[in-house]
Amino acid sequence: MDRFLDNGIQYVSGVGEVRAAVLAKEAGIRTMGDMLNYYPFRYVDRTKIYRMADVDDSLASAFVQLRGRVTGVFYAGEGRKRRYSVMVSDGSGQAELIWFHGIKWIEKRIEVGREYLIFGRPSFYRGEMSIVHPEVETVEKAFARKAESGMQGVYPSTEKLSSTFGTKGIYNIMCNLWPLVRDHITDPLPEPLRERCGLMPLREALYNIHFPQSAELLRQARYRLKFDELIGIQLNILSRRSERIGRNDGFLFAKVGEAFNTFYNQRLPFPLTGAQKRVIREIRTDTASGCQMNRLLQGDVGSGKTLVALMSMLLAVDNGFQACLIAPTEILARQHFATVSRYLEGMSVGVAVLTGASPAAERRAALEGIADGSVKILVGTHALLEDRVRFANLGFVVIDEQHRFGVEQRARMWTKNEQPPHILVMTATPIPRTLAMTLYGDLDVSVIDELPPGRRPIKTVRYTDAARLRLFGFMKSEIAKGRQVYVVYPLIEESENMDYKDLFDGYESISRDFPLPDYVTTVCHGRMKPADKEESMRQFKSGEAHILVATSVIEVGVDVPNATVMVIESAERFGLSQLHQLRGRVGRGGEQSYCILMSGEKLSREARARLDAMCSTSDGFELAELDLKLRGAGDINGTQQSGQAFDLKIANPTLDAQILQRAREEAEKILGADRQLQRPENAGLRELRSKYSGEKSMDFSMIS
Ligand code: ADP
Ligand code: MG
């Protein structure tokens, strides 16, 4: 194997020790290979030259190239505000080029009357164009340079990187690097695989990603580089999966016993849905197989996942193991604890709760019970992942993520036992299967695709502020029928005072319009003490309070079947999945429920599309797909993170689902023939597998 690419980046001309340190610190680039894998995030077309008259607001902040003659220069400002301005004109229009630093350097290079090629991002003030810190080059010099494809890479940068290297610095280093490394690039993919998938050789791909020779070659290069990353991940996942299954060291839940049966026969308040039964059967099969279970349970809000979790935990208890249920928030943990305790009342199954806010006595009781084994089911937040918590024999872990992805937390659970507990991750976010595979490693996927019977579809409408009186009237009529109402305010940043002001103003106005003693309004938000939050939730759950004014802290999992109205204030500020989650808080009883989306008159196109979608469908999968489309970029919850966990430079598991699928198939084929990747022709694939091992991803440390 050629190790040339492991040479330090400082040896490339134009870098050196000092700048190498900046590259390492700012971009994690230490070796020539790292640099080669530092890809442009977009390209600018250096062949097109705009007429100044054609550049207007629509091009503001895009990069444009102009050609113009210097008509005059002047200096303005004092001290740090000092600037150097150069007026240029091309006959059709004019622009002001402005420098705040490096004035000494640039002023020597500018000559009045001379013609320059100018490259930069225009901005406009009162119709006048200016460009701050453009690149300029005399026309003679620019045209003397050999014109390549015209597409020049723009590399991701930080403030420190740009001040060290300037706009073209990284590009220039890449130009110096290429001749050094070009003959040391070995292709990790075996020829037949490349042929089968129509992939460009690696060297060509790297050349074209940095110096595209055409748009088509660039497309092929991107495809090839994405493929490498994704097949690297798939090789990992599949290898580890077969290892896990082969290890055969899962806790054996051989029987269904008293706790499960008593619950099923005597406690279950309603028949299970077909989907719930199916999933319980799947879990039962997994846990009786001798292998460790790693299962993802997807089910829309209100589909009854909690019950599945509870029954699986009883299965563990019946087999002499402890189980725990981890919730994403304090409120939800408390609620799960209440639900589980209520369901198991009178049965001899010890249940305890432990959260970050647990009072000392509760904490002590829980910790003791867990250690001596008298607590069979522990419910809590991630606080129970703290090292102090020692289980007697933890056999089953349920993680209720709703729509967060706590990859790291799952991993910690794992380290508590020598032998891995079975793991069930529950999520209300519908995730495409391929994406679930990368996000969740090698999890098997179960889906609850059926809601409990008797649910009436929630009516969703959109109101503007003008309809507030009508809204209040409607709330009153529902409350008169004995129902309860949620009013939710967006809280984008926990620390944003503005958001709290909206919430407090809203609370005040509702308290005024819904006066005591006929109406009781309570409030719940993240700045309250846990005890106050709990009291407020208790009031609402017990029915003492008619209206709950809250931030989106309630979006996850709160269950009050008597609540029939969900009012979402400034609904345009919420994402689709959040809106869907919030709406899922109502419609849990047999009554007709309503979701009212309050918004301003003026909405962006995207916000309007979101609200319209909410009004026209209640299907979580449909909304998730639309969400993906609207947002375009692959920033569905967690995927960004997963990309970082795997150290992906170019592939995006969401957007590149097709490449991912193909990579998965090929990885299966290859491992089918050479499980350990020991054949000489697979040496490169073995390297790829370790390169994208996702070592930063705790997900994998969990199962390896
Ligand atoms: P999820 O966590 O999937 O959003 P929950 O477990 O909170 O949903 O269940 C939502 C509501 O449906 C709860 O009030 C629960 O008691 C009820 N429920 C669950 N399963 C059934 C069922 N099979 N039949 C009727 N109601 C059910
Ligand atoms: Mg739930």
Side-chain angles (χ1 to χ4, degrees):
M1 201 63 205
D2 192 334
R3 301 256 68 121
F4 186 83
L5 293 180
D6 293 343
N7 278 318
I9 190 68
Q10 67 270 29
Y11 304 118
V12 178
S13 78
V15 185
E17 299 290 340
V18 175
R19 296 170 113 200
V22 177
L23 282 173
K25 184 154 175 291
E26 297 290 309
I29 298 172
R30 291 182 177 78
T31 65
M32 296 187 184
D34 292 342
M35 189 78 198
L36 206 50
N37 288 330
Y38 195 67
Y39 306 135
F41 67 101
R42 60 186 183 82
Y43 300 85
V44 291
D45 185 350
R46 299 303 297 260
T47 53
K48 177 160 179 69
I49 297 172
Y50 281 89
R51 262 164 38 102
M52 290 185 192
D54 295 340
V55 179
D56 60 19
D57 252 340
S58 67
L59 284 166
S61 87
F63 278 91
V64 297
Q65 188 163 242
L66 308 169
R67 177 182 179 161
R69 203 173 287 283
V70 174
T71 55
V73 304
F74 61 91
Y75 298 83
E78 293 284 325
R80 289 185 50 210
K81 292 246 175 77
R82 199 170 113 92
R83 65 191 179 119
Y84 174 60
S85 283
V86 175
M87 301 305 300
V88 287
S89 157
D90 67 354
S92 79
Q94 62 165 7
E96 179 182 355
L97 314 179
I98 303 170
W99 281 266
F100 294 101
H101 0 267
I103 294 176
K104 271 213 173 75
W105 188 84
I106 192 70
E107 66 189 356
K108 284 201 234 84
R109 283 164 177 76
I110 297 292
E111 237 176 87
V112 176
R114 210 151 168 190
E115 213 184 354
Y116 293 83
L117 218 53
I118 301 141
F119 184 72
R121 297 166 112 151
S123 56
F124 294 87
Y125 181 69
R126 298 206 170 133
E128 302 289 327
M129 178 181 4
S130 63
I131 305 180
V132 175
H133 292 171
E135 283 173 48
V136 292
E137 210 173 3
T138 59
V139 167
E140 295 82 358
K141 208 168 149 201
F143 291 142
R145 241 191 358 215
K146 178 176 153 279
E148 288 184 43
S149 74
M151 267 187 283
Q152 185 179 311
V154 181
Y155 291 86
S157 193
T158 64
E159 217 177 304
K160 188 84 213 276
L161 277 178
S162 338
S163 69
T164 311
F165 293 94
T167 31
K168 272 205 316 201
I170 303 268
Y171 174 82
N172 288 338
I173 293 168
M174 216 56 91
C175 295
N176 297 341
L177 175 69
W178 183 253
L180 292 178
V181 298
R182 49 169 299 155
D183 294 327
H184 298 282
I185 295 167
T186 39
D187 200 315
L189 303 187
E191 182 78 48
L193 169 62
R194 255 173 22 221
E195 292 262 280
R196 264 204 309 278
C197 303
L199 298 168
M200 175 186 256
L202 181 63
R203 189 216 282 187
E204 237 178 281
L206 287 169
Y207 183 61
N208 278 286
I209 197 87
H210 294 296
F211 314 105
Q213 300 302 300
S214 73
E216 171 57 19
L217 288 168
L218 174 60
R219 193 191 60 76
Q220 289 181 30
R222 293 177 62 84
Y223 190 98
R224 163 66 209 251
L225 296 171
K226 288 175 178 184
F227 188 91
D228 281 20
E229 293 186 346
L230 295 172
I231 198 169
I233 291 175
Q234 292 307 316
L235 288 170
N236 259 290
I237 290 174
L238 293 170
S239 297
R240 290 180 198 236
R241 180 190 170 76
S242 68
E243 203 185 303
R244 171 168 68 84
I245 291 167
R247 216 166 32 218
N248 226 28
D249 64 350
F251 292 121
L252 193 63
F253 294 0
K255 60 172 185 192
V256 180
E258 198 194 320
F260 187 97
N261 282 327
T262 307
F263 179 80
Y264 188 73
N265 296 321
Q266 297 170 20
R267 295 305 177 85
L268 200 56
F270 29 64
L272 294 175
T273 62
Q276 283 171 320
K277 280 191 200 158
R278 190 184 65 235
V279 174
I280 291 173
R281 226 176 301 134
E282 285 168 349
I283 293 169
R284 189 154 148 49
T285 307
D286 278 4
T287 54
S289 73
C291 300
Q292 184 222 348
M293 180 183 81
N294 245 349
R295 190 168 277 282
L296 172 68
L297 172 55
Q298 291 188 7
D300 211 343
V301 261
S303 61
K305 295 186 290 296
T306 315
L307 208 54
V308 171
L310 175 60
M311 294 180 70
S312 325
M313 292 195 291
L314 291 177
L315 213 52
V317 174
D318 274 341
N319 288 275
F321 292 98
Q322 291 170 304
C324 74
L325 169 56
I326 303 173
T329 64
E330 170 90 25
I331 289 181
L332 193 53
R334 296 271 159 201
Q335 178 178 297
H336 277 327
F337 175 63
T339 309
V340 170
S341 305
R342 183 164 39 80
Y343 273 134
L344 301 183
E345 211 178 308
M347 286 174 60
S348 57
V349 178
V351 185
V353 62
L354 182 63
T355 71
S358 283
E362 182 179 82
R363 168 174 301 268
R364 202 173 329 111
L367 289 174
E368 278 173 22
I370 297 157
D372 69 21
S374 60
V375 166
K376 299 297 182 201
I377 295 180
L378 179 66
V379 182
T381 54
H382 54 266
L384 66 87
L385 298 175
E386 278 170 26
D387 285 335
R388 259 173 299 163
V389 185
R390 291 267 161 248
F391 287 87
N393 63 342
L394 180 63
F396 197 93
V397 176
V398 184
I399 299 159
D400 187 1
E401 297 196 325
Q402 297 295 335
H403 62 286
R404 301 169 192 213
F405 299 103
V407 178
E408 190 192 348
Q409 288 165 14
R410 256 178 283 147
R412 286 233 240 139
M413 212 60 235
W414 166 260
T415 60
K416 293 200 168 305
N417 292 49
E418 305 221 323
Q419 221 180 327
H422 297 297
I423 295 180
L424 179 69
V425 180
M426 306 196 296
T427 173
T429 305
I431 316 161
R433 217 184 108 72
T434 45
L435 182 54
M437 289 186 314
T438 34
L439 280 177
Y440 288 96
D442 76 342
L443 302 200
D444 292 308
V445 179
S446 289
V447 182
I448 302 189
D449 48 7
E450 180 186 355
L451 290 181
R455 295 273 170 83
R456 293 205 222 168
I458 300 162
K459 288 192 177 145
T460 304
V461 292
R462 230 173 82 191
Y463 279 3
T464 60
D465 263 330
R468 195 161 288 277
L469 267 183
R470 226 166 91 209
L471 169 69
F472 282 1
F474 177 69
M475 284 165 61
K476 282 182 179 159
S477 73
E478 281 293 297
I479 292 169
K481 288 189 214 156
R483 316 268 188 269
Q484 290 165 281
V485 179
Y486 292 102
V487 181
V488 177
Y489 284 84
L491 191 58
I492 308 305
E493 295 274 344
E494 269 293 329
S495 59
E496 257 184 44
N497 287 321
M498 271 302 287
D499 289 342
Y500 277 104
K501 187 172 177 305
D502 287 349
L503 173 84
F504 295 141
D505 289 353
Y507 176 52
E508 220 167 78
S509 124
I510 286 172
S511 303
R512 209 168 38 238
D513 281 277
F514 293 78
L516 290 163
D518 293 345
Y519 300 99
V520 179
T521 301
T522 185
V523 66
C524 184
H525 58 77
R527 284 193 182 171
M528 285 160 64
K529 290 206 193 84
D532 296 342
K533 258 194 266 188
E534 207 179 312
E535 170 56 16
S536 154
M537 289 310 297
R538 188 200 60 74
Q539 279 184 20
F540 191 65
K541 271 197 228 165
S542 69
E544 272 166 54
H546 305 103
I547 302 174
L548 175 66
V549 178
T551 56
S552 38
V553 290
I554 65 143
E555 96 193 60
V556 277
V558 173
D559 188 24
V560 181
N562 190 50
T564 54
V565 184
M566 167 62 67
V567 180
I568 305 176
E569 295 285 350
S570 305
E572 71 274 18
R573 293 178 61 191
F574 287 96
L576 254 184
S577 78
Q578 253 183 323
L579 290 171
H580 182 60
Q581 295 284 329
L582 284 170
R583 178 166 60 185
R585 298 306 108 212
V586 295
R588 308 195 137 221
E591 308 301 334
Q592 177 63 57
S593 292
Y594 305 86
C595 175
I596 297 162
L597 307 170
M598 300 299 289
S599 72
E601 301 270 358
K602 277 200 178 148
L603 295 177
S604 71
R605 223 181 48 188
E606 208 188 302
R608 190 177 301 279
R610 278 201 301 272
L611 300 187
D612 286 347
M614 281 294 292
C615 296
S616 66
T617 180
S618 57
D619 180 323
F621 273 93
E622 209 175 299
L623 289 171
E625 241 156 62
L626 188 79
D627 199 23
L628 257 175
K629 268 192 218 133
L630 283 177
R631 287 201 272 179
D635 64 348
I636 194 172
N637 293 313
T639 57
Q640 211 78 39
Q641 243 173 310
S642 80
Q644 281 161 17
F646 290 110
D647 210 16
L648 296 181
K649 304 270 189 261
I650 185 165
N652 176 324
T654 318
L655 297 180
D656 301 320
Q658 265 171 337
I659 311 179
L660 177 61
Q661 188 60 41
R662 187 70 209 259
R664 173 109 176 167
E665 287 160 16
E666 291 298 332
E668 275 167 0
K669 219 178 281 176
I670 290 158
L671 290 172
D674 180 14
R675 187 137 302 283
Q676 313 284 339
L677 296 180
Q678 260 155 2
R679 295 191 188 155
E681 69 270 25
N682 288 338
L685 288 171
R686 207 161 58 234
E687 292 232 338
L688 261 191
R689 182 174 63 178
S690 55
K691 184 168 176 188
Y692 296 105
S693 68
E695 239 146 43
K696 289 189 207 158
S697 151
M698 311 300 281
D699 217 355
F700 280 169
S701 58
M702 178 175 87
I703 50 175
S704 60

